[in-house]
């Protein structure tokens, strides 16, 4: 085959003839004109076929094209400001590779369940395409950040004999008649590697049998876990926020088009591209949740939703009345607006159902309770950048967390919560480095000591203060893209009740 020309490099061919190979994203037909939106993986480009300029055979080929047919299109590359690629093609030749029959995902509205069943095809649509490109940018940014700072990337095993993050979410497998688990976190192995290399990070899949459906949980997700020797909690927090600011900055400067195509309001991201995020203690977080300000914020939220609802319903009624007499173009506009209104009404209904539950959870919070998803949502609504909450009750944290030397009830753990209601994207902290203390903790947590024998060796042979954290890739993508659910952040999501495709 001749070398491919890609849509994102059309500027090199301005004024010349080029051949694009791709798929028909959309097709409109006029009397003697056919407008194709061609996509080739790098972008989309309008291709115009004028009956007067092409042979009958070429016109025939173009006429037969359907959505998602594969095709090679040759024509002159013309600059065009209105086009998303900056160019359009005035077509001279059309070569059909395959005519696609009855592509299931049409431009009309589809339900999420249907789209999830067709995830293998859904990935081709504009929104999903933009999300995956941002995911890729985030992955690249993370590697760049750590590599530029002398961290060594290390792969932790997927089959393990240890529970890291509690025993309730373990996936058990049969490993040649021995029990093995799919890893929940590479951290313990990361600690071993940090003692060999100083600063390391893992970047791999992790697994948790999350038995409830939420917008933040997958059963298979990707985690990035840096681990550093001779780092305390504060150095750990500095690193976490520098990394996050670096990621956000990269996406803002390199994926502007994709963010725009997702209609992402980037106000909060603009604030997060610089580090210096607020840090509050867990105790302060509890005080905030129980405060008058929080109650007032919730009351105001409830009132504003209650006002918005009838306004939207009235607008909807007016649009529905207008629809009958409207011309075709206006009809499309009305349909779009009605769809948006319906989505918003559902959100309002959900908020109005949630607010009383959130209020109760927040106001009744006691020191020692874990922060739930809704508590995190409320806390982050009071800030416009990510925040870090540190110093959690030791009781609710993992066995490996070091305790605050000044207060044995407090663990030196930290979570980073993303703004705009997103909540936890990072969990980490300083690790217990004393062999004796760790032995006690393993006993307290009723963990099988034999499985941790190797881990305890790290405290016998040159133990040092060390820290690390885990960044959830999908939650980060979800926040940066402004999505409602993590299921769209990974090519093939694995969740409760979802193993296909
Ligand atoms: O807070 P977690 O459980 O921390 C750990 O696993 C530590 N061992 C990490 C470390 O210190 N090296 O998980 C870390 C992050 C969370 O903040 C969240 O972003 C993500 O992993 N995460 C999930 N993402 C999607 N689906 C799930 N079920 C997730 N569980 C955790
Ligand atoms: Mg956590």
């Amino acid at each position: 085959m001749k070398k491919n020309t890609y849509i994102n490099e059309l500027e090199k061919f301005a004024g010349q003839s080029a051949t694009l190979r791709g798929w028909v994203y959309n097709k409109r037909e006029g009397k003697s004109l056919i407008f194709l939106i061609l996509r080739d993986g790098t972008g989309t480009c309008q291709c115009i076929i004028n009956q007067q300029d092409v042979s009958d055979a070429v016109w025939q080929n173009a006429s037969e094209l359907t959505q998602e047919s594969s095709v090679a299109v040759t024509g002159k590359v013309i600059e065009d400001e209105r086009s998303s690629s900056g160019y359009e093609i005035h077509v001279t030749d059309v070569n059909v590779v395959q005519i696609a029959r009855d592509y299931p995902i049409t431009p009309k509205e589809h339900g999420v369940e249907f789209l999830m069943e067709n995830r293998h095809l859904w990935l081709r649509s504009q929104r999903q395409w933009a999300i995956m490109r941002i995911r890729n940018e985030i992955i690249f940014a993370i590697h760049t950040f750590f590599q530029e700072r002398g961290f060594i990337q290390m792969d932790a095993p997927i089959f393990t004999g240890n529970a890291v993050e509690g025993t309730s979410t373990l996936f058990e497998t049969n490993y040649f008649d021995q029990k093995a688990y799919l890893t929940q976190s590479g951290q313990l192995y990361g600690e071993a590697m940090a003692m060999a290399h100083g600063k390391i990070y893992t970047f791999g899949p992790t697994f948790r049998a999350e038995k409830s459906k939420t917008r933040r949980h997958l059963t298979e997700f990707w985690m990035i876990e840096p681990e550093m020797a001779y780092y305390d909690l504060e150095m750990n927090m500095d690193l976490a926020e520098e990394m996050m600011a670096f990621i956000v900055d990269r996406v803002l400067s390199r994926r502007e088009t994709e963010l725009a195509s997702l209609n992402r309001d980037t106000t909060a991201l603009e604030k997060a591209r610089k580090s210096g995020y607020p840090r509050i203690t867990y105790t302060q977080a509890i005080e905030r949740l129980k405060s008058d300000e929080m109650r007032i914020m919730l009351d105001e939220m409830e009132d504003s939703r209650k006002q918005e609802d009838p306004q939207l319903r009235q607008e909807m009624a007016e649009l529905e009345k207008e629809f009958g007499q409207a011309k075709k173009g206006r009809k499309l506009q009305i349909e779009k607006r009605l769809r948006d209104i319906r989505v918003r009404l559902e959100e309002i209904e959900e908020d109005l159902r949630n607010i009383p539950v959130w209020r109760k959870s927040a106001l009744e919070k006691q020191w020692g309770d874990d922060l739930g998803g809704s508590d995190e949502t409320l806390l982050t609504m009071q800030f416009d950048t990510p925040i870090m909450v540190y110093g959690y009750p030791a009781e609710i944290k993992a066995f490996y967390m070091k305790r605050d030397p000044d207060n044995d009830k407090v663990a030196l753990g930290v979570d980073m919560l993303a703004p705009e209601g997103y909540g936890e994207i990072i969990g980490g902290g300083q690790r217990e480095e004393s062999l004796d203390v760790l032995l006690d903790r393993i006993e307290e947590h009723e963990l099988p000591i034999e499985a941790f024998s190797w881990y305890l060796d790290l405290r016998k042979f040159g133990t040092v203060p060390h820290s690390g954290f885990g960044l959830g890739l999908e939650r980060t993508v979800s926040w940066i893209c402004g999505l409602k659910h993590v299921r769209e952040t990974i090519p093939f999501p694995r969740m409760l009740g979802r193993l296909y495709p």
Side-chain angles (χ1 to χ4, degrees), residues 396-466:
I396 57 170
K397 286 290 176 188
F399 75 96
Y400 54 72
M401 285 235 184
K402 187 175 171 66
R403 306 260 170 117
D404 185 339
D406 299 329
N407 183 351
D408 199 48
K409 286 198 160 40
V410 171
L412 299 177
V414 58
D415 279 1
M416 186 185 288
L417 312 183
E420 303 170 274
Y422 280 87
E424 183 189 339
I425 48 177
I426 287 180
Q430 189 167 338
R431 321 305 188 190
E432 180 52 64
E433 77 257 31
S434 148
L435 176 65
D436 290 339
V437 177
L438 209 48
L439 277 168
D440 287 347
R441 300 274 184 268
I442 289 176
E443 200 170 305
E444 272 169 42
H445 283 81
E446 294 174 13
L447 293 165
I449 195 93
E450 326 76 58
F452 290 97
S453 163
W454 68 268
Y455 183 68
L456 293 166
D457 275 353
L458 306 176
R459 274 62 175 176
K460 283 185 201 155
F461 306 111
T463 191
V464 302
H466 63 290

Side-chain angles (χ1 to χ4, degrees), residues 37-222:
I37 303 290
L38 192 82
R39 58 168 197 86
D40 75 344
T42 73
T44 56
C45 179
Q46 171 154 276
C47 304
I48 303 167
I49 301 119
N50 188 333
Q51 194 167 13
Q52 262 117 54
D53 299 344
V54 296
S55 68
D56 287 351
V58 169
W59 179 256
Q60 186 59 31
N61 283 347
S63 308
E64 278 170 16
L65 290 173
T66 53
Q67 190 191 350
E68 287 306 317
S69 287
S70 36
V71 65
V73 174
T74 303
K76 198 167 173 193
V77 181
I78 307 287
E79 212 174 323
D80 182 74
E81 272 180 12
R82 290 159 304 174
S83 139
S84 63
S85 62
Y87 296 88
E88 59 180 29
I89 306 286
H90 291 187
V91 177
T92 53
D93 200 8
V94 172
N95 281 297
V96 177
V97 182
Q98 190 205 30
I99 295 292
R101 303 266 172 235
D102 303 322
Y103 187 68
I105 304 177
T106 58
K108 77 167 201 290
E109 204 80 348
H110 293 286
V112 169
E113 272 310 302
F114 176 84
L115 292 168
M116 292 297 290
E117 281 296 296
N118 288 284
R119 182 67 177 163
H120 50 299
L121 303 175
W122 189 24
L123 289 168
R124 302 180 186 192
S125 71
Q126 188 86 46
R127 254 180 80 78
Q128 301 307 313
W129 178 86
I131 295 168
M132 288 306 136
R133 293 178 76 95
I134 294 172
R135 178 184 168 105
N136 177 66
E137 196 65 58
I138 293 171
I139 292 171
F140 187 28
I142 292 167
H143 281 296
T144 308
F145 178 85
F146 286 117
Q147 293 291 333
E148 281 178 352
R149 283 158 186 77
F151 285 66
I152 301 290
Q153 198 257 321
M154 294 274 180
D155 302 310
I158 309 273
F159 285 127
T160 72
N162 312 84
V164 190
E165 298 299 326
T167 47
S168 66
T169 61
L170 284 171
F171 275 115
E172 199 178 299
T173 64
N174 180 341
Y175 192 78
F176 306 113
D177 295 331
Q178 195 187 333
K179 246 192 221 173
Y181 307 106
L182 299 183
T183 187
Q184 297 168 304
S185 153
Q187 178 195 320
L188 305 188
Y189 297 98
E191 289 183 50
M193 298 184 291
M195 298 309 134
H197 292 268
K199 294 191 290 186
I200 65 93
Y201 67 107
T202 69
F203 197 135
T206 47
F207 306 86
R208 298 196 191 174
E210 303 282 0
K211 290 167 202 90
S212 58
K213 286 190 185 174
T214 82
R215 63 191 174 91
R216 308 174 192 210
H217 290 94
L218 295 164
T219 54
E220 179 180 306
F221 59 99
W222 288 68

Side-chain angles (χ1 to χ4, degrees), residues 232-268:
D232 64 10
L233 177 67
E234 199 181 341
M235 295 159 84
N236 198 25
M237 292 200 275
D238 290 346
L239 183 76
E241 71 172 345
E242 258 180 65
M243 177 198 68
M244 190 52 67
F246 185 90
I247 295 171
V248 173
D249 183 65
R250 276 289 175 113
V251 175
L252 281 173
S253 50
R254 296 189 183 205
R255 294 291 161 198
E256 205 183 349
T257 325
E258 285 83 355
L259 288 170
S261 85
L262 294 171
N263 292 323
R264 178 71 167 115
D265 173 352
T266 54
T267 319

